[in-house]
Amino acid sequence: MTEQKVAIVTGAAGGIGAAIVRALCADGVAVLGTGRSADKLAALAAALPQNAAFAFVAADIGDEDAPDRIVAEALARFGRVDHLVNNAGAGVWAPVHDTSDAMLDEVIGLSLRAPFRLCRAVLPHMGMGSAIVTIGSTFGIMGGMDGGIYCAVKAGLIGLTQTMAAQYGEQGIRSNIVAPTVVRTPMTDAAWDYPAFQRINQGLTPFYRDCAPEDVAHVVAFLCSDKGEYINGQVIAVDGGWSTTRMINSRFAG
């Protein structure tokens, strides 16, 4: 068994996930990363510093056996699990009247059911000093036009996190949500060309730049560290003030 703290990070090969892996490894945490693509996970592993303790398992978190398989792999590789970062999910965005049952099933399955089942699988192996951090969204704090099931599921993750904080806090297991604004990654890059996106997101954000994956990763690493050990049941928005100020950025005022 390693003496390092050990974290499971889902969606580890994506923009935010990879930044979380890098931040945790930099803090000396051993990481088991998961994702659908073994090739992308292998590329991430190759890009990490040589002293980083990183292993990976290719898995679709929506598969029935995925939670048990992921937790078993972490225990086999490192002998313990201290942190779980629920980062993977589905980003389907549509109004309620245009949301099919297939879209419902996809988003609920990947963004709510899968994190719930992974929490359930990992909790028996956690103890004092452990942390569960789920990546939510500012659109779980407040709904948005055309948000539909996406906003509903992100709000559901807040409920899950708060009930786990109440249930398992006495065991030293803390549970929190990191709720970023739209983060600029290859997956979302095209949105920056649309005037409506610029008005709603950049225009109402009282900050001088967009949110980067590292902004999210730094908060996750803090919550997993001893410095965040008294933070439990919280929703921490990483949005430059978007969800609280409703102020028109001078770059877009006219």
Side-chain angles (χ1 to χ4, degrees):
M1 177 187 294
T2 180
E3 294 184 2
Q4 293 174 278
K5 292 289 184 75
V6 175
I8 294 171
V9 178
T10 67
I16 295 175
I20 292 170
V21 170
R22 290 192 294 268
L24 290 172
C25 287
D27 279 357
V29 178
V31 177
L32 178 79
T34 77
R36 291 175 175 174
S37 172
D39 290 342
K40 290 181 179 180
L41 291 165
L44 172 61
L48 292 171
Q50 289 188 344
N51 63 346
F54 178 74
F56 65 85
V57 56
D60 184 331
I61 60 167
D63 290 347
E64 289 302 307
D65 67 339
D68 290 338
R69 185 157 67 90
I70 291 167
V71 173
E73 187 69 19
L75 294 172
R77 295 290 187 112
F78 300 114
R80 59 190 287 179
V81 181
D82 302 276
H83 309 311
L84 168 63
V85 182
N86 286 310
N87 170 64
V92 176
W93 192 265
V96 171
H97 66 271
D98 281 338
T99 301
S100 66
D101 285 350
M103 294 163 67
L104 277 175
D105 292 343
E106 177 185 358
V107 179
I108 293 172
L110 291 178
S111 296
L112 186 57
R113 186 175 187 269
F116 188 107
R117 297 180 71 239
L118 193 48
C119 290
R120 186 177 63 192
V122 80
L123 277 165
H125 305 284
M126 288 182 155
M128 193 67 63
S130 294
I132 295 173
V133 182
T134 298
I135 306 302
S137 170
T138 48
F139 288 108
I141 300 171
M142 55 172 52
M145 285 291 292
D146 298 337
I149 188 58
Y150 181 87
C151 294
V153 162
K154 293 301 184 181
L157 288 173
I158 294 174
L160 172 62
T161 295
Q162 291 173 341
T163 194
M164 288 194 302
Q167 190 85 48
Y168 307 108
E170 289 187 0
Q171 301 173 32
I173 304 170
R174 55 194 188 274
S175 302
N176 294 286
I177 287 261
V178 176
T181 185
V182 183
V183 181
R184 191 157 197 173
T185 67
M187 183 180 296
T188 63
D189 194 60
W192 266 257
D193 294 331
Y194 291 99
F197 174 87
Q198 294 169 4
R199 290 195 303 271
I200 294 170
N201 290 274
Q202 293 168 304
L204 292 176
T205 300
F207 209 65
Y208 69 95
R209 64 170 176 84
D210 296 322
C211 186
E214 289 73 21
D215 294 314
V216 181
H218 293 158
V219 178
V220 172
F222 173 78
L223 290 172
C224 289
S225 75
D226 292 342
K227 294 178 181 179
E229 68 177 355
Y230 208 67
I231 301 173
N232 190 32
Q234 300 304 306
V235 181
I236 301 176
V238 181
D239 66 358
W242 180 87
S243 60
T244 53
T245 62
R246 316 310 293 163
M247 166 248 187
I248 299 176
N249 192 307
S250 60
R251 292 181 295 166
F252 294 86

